[in-house]
Amino acid sequence: MSEFTARYLADYQPSPYSINTIDLTIELDEHATKVRSILSITKKEESDEPLVLDGEHLILVSVSLGQQSLSPDAYQLTEQSLTIFNLPSEFTLTVETEVDPANNTALEGLYKSGDAFCTQCEAEGFRRITYYLDRPDVMAIFTTKVIADRAKFPQLLANGNPVERGELNNNKHFVTWHDPHPKPCYLFALVAGDFDLLSDQYKTASGREVLLEIFVDKGNKAKAEHAMASLKHSMKWDEDVFGLEYDLDIYMIVAVDFFNMGAMENKGLNVFNSKYVLADRESATDTDFFNIEAVIAHEYFHNWTGNRVTCRDWFQLSLKEGLTVFRDQQFSADMHSADVTRIQNVKLLRAQQFAEDAGPMSHPIRPEKVMEMNNFYTLTVYEKGAEVIRMLHTLLGQNGFRKGMDLYFDRFDGMAVTCDDFVTAMADANNRDLTLFKRWYSQSGTPELTVTQHFESASQQFTLNIEQMTPATGNQLEKLALHIPIKLELIVGEEVQTQLVELTNQSQQFQFACEQEPTVAFLCDFSAPVKVNYEQSTAALLTIIESSQNNFCVWDAGQKIMAKEIEQLVLLAGSQPSRDIERMFNAVITADYDAAFKALMLTLPSFDEMTAHISKVDPQKLISAIEKLSTFISSTFSAEFLSLYKQHSEVEHLSSSQQVGSRALANTCLRYLVKLTEHHSLVAQRYLQATDMTTKLGALQCSIKQVNDETLSLLNDFEQQWHADTLVMDKWFSLNANLNDELIFERLEQLMARDDFALTNPNRARSLIGAFAMQNNKYFHESSGKGYQFLAQQIIEMDRINPQVASRLITPLIQFEAFNEVHQSLMISQLQFIASQDNLSRDLVEKLEAALKE
Ligand code: TRP
Ligand code: ZN
């Protein structure tokens, strides 16, 4: 397999050349787009090092130095590069290439999404458009002339401001764009198409008018309103909270259906997966609305954290991604319930990032070794990266953090820098030594804290002993102590004392003066991305639920009670749920929480959260245990669920944020009620009465988990109604992928044979194959291995079409170590089968090598 080589952070060298300006002329054509690039280049110092330009999947048409066309013996061409020798200290290089967008199914570089042309250059896609120094520390001023058929592509877009437009022969026209801000080529973008346009304006704090434009497929304009409102909220928030204004006269967003990821922050011209732009009440869920707002904010915030200050090299990806995720999380928390938002962040981290950090692709938030960069757009770099920024925020406080950000921009605006530069700015602005803290950037794995307590009644001294240990991961066997901020509460009766302690050693004792032995609410707000082993009695956990002022801890205490219960049911065959669960649910159901929080309190830890908790678990036993517990809860509290359900089904009189909470709570109650035959009829009733997608989908999700005669007819009805709406049909495919019934394998085959299914469309492929492998745990982990086999086959096919998507789909298979022997060996044999195929992508090879080594 090892035909590909890895790159190392330790080998970083700046380029001996800088590119000052690039003038692009791109004449669009389905199969033969012509790209002319004129580069003005300077040698940084006298040296004879040749210029090695990156380029892949390109047809080279010509190269000229100044006016002189170069003959093929003046340069060297390989599959990945164009090398030019004997260059003067300053020169102009003109390179002409040709590319084939219509056959570009990898969706990297220039490709077609439906009828439109668009680009995706991060991380290393620009080299599929022209030969270039495709690295983020090479920053140039871009001018882009886009030429295309006038009738088919009335809108021609690129970064910056439009400076010229005109008509050409053969029914073509052109627009020239100029971006005054020097940028790395990964932020380059071009779009050509025939879109509906939603326009608006934003006046910045300093009084400049910015034109806001969102381009969507014809007919979808009304569905862009929420994205537009979100953009304006983001712009305002960044001014208010960080003092950051937008810096161009125009900000454009284009929504496309074919996209590998969520969205891309190209300077002045964001390209979005349409899933993160389009929404209206009938077709989108409350979660969709929330996510759209968060992704719009994320890409907007990148303008400062990513674009104005960018990464020196790709190992530093978390410099922009961890920081920008932290910023979008804070924004969402300010726009909605801060507690609910925080809990959702933590659920994602525990369910997915912990698994990644314990699996074969475990890496520090700043990786040291990369084979395929696209494999490192991970939960670790993004979500754990955001947790690391949040810890700085906790250690320095809101004001200290802001001072650090201000210094960071003062020092580095317009530059390409490192994670180390960021932390140093935080340290300098606050006069703090963060040397030890920097280990978070180089150490992988989830740290585990072991906490014990001791109370000395004579001296009224309470002692917490905290030890940290990070288990060995992949190629990192030795782990060092980290600097861990721990927020906690000491609860004695009505009195709650809040503390922030800093763990900096392997083991440390913290002493507090207390009149009585307190109950400790540990790790408030989840102040560090760690696992905690702290033996607390159910009585103590119930005290936290009742008395803690930190809603994260309240929620987490409930989760601990439920997790303990599930663990017992897994480990002790034939055991029954205990009284603890009844006590907890009694307390929670009657508590005076808002509806959204109550819904979270009533939700059991998921399969994924539990696999991070119980080592080498038998997935089928885990599923049965969760099922047994939720059935027990359903029957014990059916009357309470029914009354809550009814109470929260009427939402018209509520504010829109209360409606969101009520819908979540009603859906949660329905999931319990549907386990009891006498309440089955509620599902169809709710489905038929629903006027919004959250409620409709909530009902269908109950139906597919409790499959009966009605299920397929409800799915058919939904399909009838929505067959013309691509994003809603993605939801329909996901519902099918989650069917809790043996017919699932047959069903998957039927669905893949449909005209509206295609592996070339990532959203559609993910909504069926991804949803099956990542959500339908019972059948994916079927003991015959059928589920694993299905996924392996799809990955092999997908890899020939779109390696990035294939490489994401393999995640559940490589994380086999979480499961018992039987399942591990079934998973490994499918990985070996994939590895035995010819011509696998670099993306898959990197993951297979990591998973199958030894
Ligand atoms: N920088 C993008 C973000 O906001 C990530 C991204 C979008 C991406 N498309 C991509 C990364 C394609 C790799 C490949 O997070
Ligand atoms: Zn990002």
Side-chain angles (χ1 to χ4, degrees), residues 175-220:
V175 180
T176 304
W177 293 80
H178 179 76
D179 180 359
H181 299 278
K183 66 167 175 287
C185 63
Y186 83 86
L187 292 172
F188 169 79
L190 171 161
V191 174
D194 186 4
F195 301 101
D196 267 355
L197 170 59
L198 178 67
S199 307
D200 208 327
Q201 293 225 321
Y202 181 82
K203 192 176 193 158
T204 69
S206 69
R208 283 184 314 102
E209 286 290 349
V210 180
L211 175 60
L212 310 177
E213 298 191 321
I214 302 183
F215 297 85
V216 297
D217 279 354
K218 284 250 142 74
N220 281 340

Side-chain angles (χ1 to χ4, degrees), residues 120 122 261 263 265 298-299 302 320-321 377 382 804:
Q120 172 55 40
E122 187 175 7
M261 303 267 287
E265 71 265 24
H298 180 95
E299 305 311 330
H302 265 317
K320 74 174 178 83
E321 294 304 346
Y377 288 77
Y382 277 63
Q804 275 185 53

Side-chain angles (χ1 to χ4, degrees), residues 71 107 200 228 288 300 377 510 597 703 774 841:
S71 64
L107 313 186
D200 208 327
M228 184 63 89
D288 292 328
Y300 174 72
Y377 288 77
F510 299 93
F597 185 72
S703 188
M774 302 188 196
S841 67

